[in-house]
DNA sequence: GTTGAGCGTT
């Protein structure tokens, strides 16, 4: 990698000093990766809510930003991070740590956030047999403070392989939901439990970025938009389609950017709600929406598709540009998808709740089922939403979760073909619907 | 003592 005179072995890390402000008495030394980068997730583990780093240049005395790309913060020079004090960058409108928002007795905004962004217990499925409440707590503390861990046992006291956790803050919860989890070599499924369906109203975390230029990469968008909040996903369709999608951890950040224009690489892009422009009432077909949902399928591919050796960091999951039909929005002609997946994809695209923009009736306006007269019946055709509306899993949209997470297929949220997408589904109705054989569990190779 | 889809003694 670089020429730092470090004799790499597993036990040697470089540490960089990070603080929330230029008073370094509370600075924390954070380990870099062996390639000299610092993972944003490592930073966030120590400074929850942080979305980047900056530092005061010793010569110019001005603040310089640290390059963020693909979830990695890059040192400012070839020589590495040096002895600078690095300062956390927190999202706009929320200079402090997100965690502090709820712990501080500061005002209406606090209440608003607390109300909208409510924690719930999370179920952890597929835990290793050897897990203990302590080990699970320790694992999940990388996402924020863990206030509860319950591992379920039978009458004999033997562990049943699943349990519940709860984070102190919604931000932590979303962080945990935004990735896959490998604990002691097992892929552990973390979800909002069925019994809690409907209790976590969500706004879309994803925004549509229009007027992109061809030279804008996903990394460019991520880097630019990270200054507003933690970005969990970016999708730029290829071949070039002049738009992209950016997903934020915090739906409020996403909402706050809607309607704004931003300049990236010298070009003005427009940010808007990641919902299609409804041109006609007969929008059930895909022919005339202006851009279609993001048929990216870019979430939660199993380890085979990951560029970092199976680490499920969602930042590395922009693996493919599947399903984009260059002829227009919507699925390729050979898509023979169960409608449930179409529905899921809509929500992946940020349609969750069909909010119709910030001015509409808010997160709850999705109650009562989908639009266009499908009253009470969801698009799966095999279950009803009931009075609580669709399950929140519709909106989770992260980490491959929330897809049909009730029964049957895809319940691990993992893609069967190692590509993390739909590329292998060519016609014929093969695919997820009904085929429980071999697809529903990515844990098979494990013991 | 084994096991691997699931949904919580409070």
């Amino acid at each position: 990698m670089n020429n730092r005179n470090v004799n790499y072995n597993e036990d040697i890390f470089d540490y960089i000093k990070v603080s929330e402000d230029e008073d370094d008495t509370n600075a924390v030394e954070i380990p870099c990766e062996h390639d000299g980068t610092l993972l944003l997730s490592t930073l966030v583990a120590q400074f929850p809510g942080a979305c980047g780093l900056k530092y005061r240049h010793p010569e110019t005395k001005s603040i310089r930003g640290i390059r963020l790309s693909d979830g990695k913060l890059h040192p400012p020079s070839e020589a590495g991070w040096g002895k600078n004090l690095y300062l956390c960058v927190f999202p706009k409108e929320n200079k402090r740590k997100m965690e502090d928002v709820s712990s501080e007795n500061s005002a209406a905004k606090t209440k608003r956030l607390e109300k909208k962004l409510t924690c719930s217990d999370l179920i952890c499925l597929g835990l290793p047999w050897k897990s203990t409440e302590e080990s699970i707590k320790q694992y999940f503390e990388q996402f924020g403070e863990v206030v509860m861990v319950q591992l379920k046992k039978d009458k004999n006291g033997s562990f049943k392989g699943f349990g519940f956790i709860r984070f102190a803050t919604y931000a932590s919860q979303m962080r945990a939901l935004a990735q896959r989890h490998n604990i002691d070599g097992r892929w552990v499924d973390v979800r909002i439990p069925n019994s809690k369906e409907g209790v976590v109203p969500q706004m879309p975390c994803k925004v549509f970025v229009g007027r992109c230029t061809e030279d804008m990469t996903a990394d460019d968008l991520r880097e630019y938009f990270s200054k507003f909040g933690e970005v969990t996903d970016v999708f730029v369709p290829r071949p070039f389609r002049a738009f992209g999608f950016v997903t934020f951890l915090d739906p409020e950040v996403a909402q706050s950017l809607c309607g704004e224009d931003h300049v990236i690489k010298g070009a003005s892009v427009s940010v808007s709600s990641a919902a299609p422009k409804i041109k006609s009432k007969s929008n059930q077909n895909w022919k005339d929406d202006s851009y279609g949902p993001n048929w990216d399928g870019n979430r939660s591919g199993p380890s085979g598709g990951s560029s970092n050796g199976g680490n499920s960091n969602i930042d590395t999951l922009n693996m493919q540009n599947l399903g984009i039909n260059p002829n227009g929005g919507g699925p390729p002609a050979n898509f023979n998808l169960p409608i449930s997946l179409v529905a899921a994809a809509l929500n992946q695209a940020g349609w969750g709740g069909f909010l119709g923009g910030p001015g509409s009736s808010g997160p709850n306006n999705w109650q009562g089922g989908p639009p266009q007269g499908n009253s009470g019946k969801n698009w799966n055709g095999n279950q009803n939403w009931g009075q609580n509306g669709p399950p929140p899993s519709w909106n989770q949209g992260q980490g491959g979760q929330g897809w049909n997470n009730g029964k049957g297929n895809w319940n691990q949220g993992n893609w069967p073909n190692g590509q993390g997408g739909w590329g292998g589904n060519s016609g014929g109705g093969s695919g997820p619907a009904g085929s429980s054989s071999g697809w529903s569990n990515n844990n098979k190779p494990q013991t």
Side-chain angles (χ1 to χ4, degrees):
Chain A
M1 311 301 170
N2 57 33
N3 57 359
R4 293 176 308 142
N5 54 348
V6 177
N7 207 355
Y8 291 132
N9 76 38
E10 291 302 314
D11 300 322
I12 296 180
F13 290 87
D14 278 356
Y15 284 82
I16 72 168
K17 191 189 277 190
V18 179
S19 175
E20 288 190 46
D21 50 45
E22 295 193 67
D23 169 17
D24 66 353
T25 53
N26 292 319
V28 178
E29 294 193 353
I30 300 180
C32 306
E33 300 306 296
H34 289 317
D35 66 357
T37 65
L38 170 65
L39 294 179
L40 181 60
S41 54
T42 305
L43 176 68
V44 168
Q46 298 301 322
F47 294 94
C51 59
L53 278 182
K54 59 189 179 181
Y55 70 108
R56 190 171 292 282
H57 192 271
E59 290 168 16
T60 68
K61 303 297 181 195
S62 58
I63 294 289
R64 286 198 180 181
I66 288 296
R67 173 173 163 73
L68 171 65
S69 170
D70 203 21
K72 299 172 180 175
L73 292 150
H74 294 263
S77 73
E78 273 297 310
W81 295 91
K83 298 295 180 190
N84 301 316
L85 174 66
Y86 292 88
L87 308 173
C88 271
V89 178
F90 293 103
K92 187 177 94 168
E93 297 185 289
N94 181 11
K95 292 287 185 195
R96 290 151 305 168
K97 296 193 282 188
M98 291 179 81
E99 322 301 279
D100 288 345
V101 173
S102 55
S103 63
E104 226 168 309
N105 48 359
S106 70
K109 184 176 173 184
T110 301
K111 294 236 164 117
R112 203 182 81 236
L113 279 175
E114 280 178 338
K115 188 174 179 185
K116 255 182 204 163
L117 309 177
T118 311
C119 288
S120 71
D121 294 353
L122 303 178
I123 189 168
C124 304
L125 268 5
L127 293 168
W129 300 122
K130 63 181 177 184
S131 296
T132 64
E133 296 193 345
E134 291 71 33
S135 71
I136 294 306
K137 182 165 192 274
Q138 190 174 15
Y139 170 81
F140 283 104
E141 273 173 345
Q142 68 183 291
F143 305 101
E145 184 188 352
V146 176
V147 297
M148 184 277 293
V149 176
Q150 285 182 343
L151 299 191
K152 292 303 169 188
K153 298 169 182 170
D154 62 19
K155 298 174 183 95
N156 304 322
S158 56
F159 180 38
K160 295 208 281 186
F162 75 99
F164 295 86
I165 62 173
R166 191 182 185 97
F167 286 99
T169 69
Y170 182 80
S172 308
Q173 171 172 325
M174 288 308 293
R175 249 176 247 128
L177 285 170
Q179 2 185 312
R180 294 161 72 232
H181 301 276
N182 194 302
I183 304 178
D184 282 331
R186 282 189 60 83
W187 289 109
V188 172
D189 214 1
V190 178
R191 308 175 183 173
I192 292 175
N194 292 164
S195 58
K196 299 289 184 182
E197 279 182 2
V199 301
V200 182
Q202 280 260 80
M203 293 185 293
C205 298
K206 180 173 289 188
V207 297
F208 173 84
V209 182
R211 298 198 306 269
C212 291
T213 52
E214 196 155 9
D215 64 333
M216 287 180 197
T217 65
D219 278 352
D220 291 330
L221 295 186
R222 175 184 293 275
E223 183 169 3
Y224 177 81
F225 284 105
S226 288
K227 68 185 178 189
F228 303 107
E230 189 170 334
V231 172
T232 59
D233 188 39
V234 178
F235 177 66
V236 175
R238 298 286 182 223
F240 173 62
R241 292 247 273 153
F243 65 81
F245 290 100
V246 176
T247 307
F248 293 92
L249 178 68
D250 183 350
E252 296 230 345
V253 172
Q255 292 301 297
S256 74
L257 292 172
C258 287
E260 294 183 357
D261 286 346
H262 293 261
V263 176
I264 305 175
K265 285 188 153 181
S268 167
V269 302
S270 72
V271 180
S272 57
S273 171
K277 291 169 185 164
I278 307 295
K279 279 190 182 171
S280 68
K281 287 192 176 178
S282 60
N283 202 40
Q284 290 95 331
N285 66 42
W286 298 95
K287 289 177 183 168
D288 47 40
D289 48 302
S290 52
Y291 52 82
N294 67 335
W295 297 91
D296 48 7
N298 60 350
R299 312 242 184 215
S300 198
S303 54
S306 181
S307 61
N308 61 354
N311 182 329
S312 67
N313 189 328
I314 197 166
D315 291 339
T316 67
L317 292 177
N318 276 324
M319 293 173 291
Q320 69 295 305
N321 303 334
L322 299 175
I324 299 296
N325 183 350
N327 300 321
N334 65 355
F335 261 43
N336 199 349
L337 290 176
I339 197 67
S340 59
L341 288 189
V342 175
L346 297 184
N347 288 279
Q348 295 271 306
W351 287 22
F354 301 92
L355 288 180
S360 69
S361 55
N364 291 329
N365 71 348
W366 60 343
Q367 293 194 0
Q372 299 163 354
N374 292 327
S375 59
K377 189 179 181 188
N378 79 2
W379 297 359
N380 284 333
N382 57 13
Q383 63 183 121
N384 289 323
W385 280 341
Q387 58 183 3
N388 290 326
S393 52
W394 261 52
N395 260 333
Q396 280 173 232
Q398 312 283 357
Q401 304 193 39
W403 283 46
N404 223 353
N405 86 6
K407 307 293 176 193
N409 314 301
W410 300 78
N411 53 4
Q412 294 285 348
N414 296 325
W415 296 89
N417 58 8
Q419 298 174 20
W422 298 350
N425 297 339
S426 57
S430 67
S435 70
S436 59
S437 57
W439 285 24
S440 62
N441 190 338
N442 197 40
N443 294 333
K444 284 294 189 291
Q446 301 164 350
T447 50

